[in-house]
Structures are given as C-alpha cells and as structure tokens.
Amino acid sequence: MSIGNNVSVKLPIPTHDGDREAAKFLKELRLWLLERNVKFSYIFVPEWSGYPYAINMRKEDALAFRLAFDL
C-alpha cells in the first residue's frame, strides 16, 4: 500500500497464543524506528483493533526497515 512518498509495511499477524511475543516484537520495531528518528504511523485495520496492521513511513526508511526485520 503506497501513499505519495510513503509506503505501508504490513506486519505479521500475531497468533492468539503469542500476544506477549507480538507486543515484544512491536516494541522492538518501535525502538528501532525511534533510534533512527524515522517518522512513522501505525495503521489499524479495523480501526478498533489492538494490534497494528501496518506501519507507514517514507520509502527510503521502509527499505531499511524491511531488510532489518525480514518483512
């Protein structure tokens, strides 16, 4: 999914058993983005869900992000 110069990187869907692991993985992703001063936003589908469907960021940042986390 692409919007202008931004791209949305789809996140893996957490399993019901792995809620704790999914939260840990999301925290790791967020820390990586914050350390590199990447502007990003979470995309929730549906809007009321508790876990993001994707993360939206610039195309250049998305490439490094995908390579770092094999997404």
Side-chain angles (χ1 to χ4, degrees):
M1 181 183 318
S2 177
I3 303 169
N5 276 342
N6 288 350
V7 66
S8 295
V9 178
K10 187 174 181 283
L11 299 175
I13 299 170
T15 62
H16 182 66
D17 298 335
D19 287 342
R20 179 176 264 167
E21 288 80 21
K24 184 178 175 184
F25 179 64
L26 189 59
K27 185 176 181 180
E28 182 181 339
L29 298 178
R30 185 175 183 274
L31 182 62
W32 188 92
L33 293 165
L34 292 174
E35 286 176 348
R36 286 154 183 81
N37 293 321
V38 175
K39 293 181 182 177
F40 67 96
S41 61
Y42 294 122
I43 298 173
F44 293 91
V45 176
E47 289 184 20
W48 48 263
S49 66
Y51 190 81
Y53 172 78
I55 300 177
N56 188 281
M57 64 190 85
R58 291 182 332 156
K59 288 181 183 179
E60 297 83 12
D61 296 328
L63 178 60
F65 181 76
R66 284 181 177 159
L67 291 172
F69 292 99
D70 196 29
L71 297 174

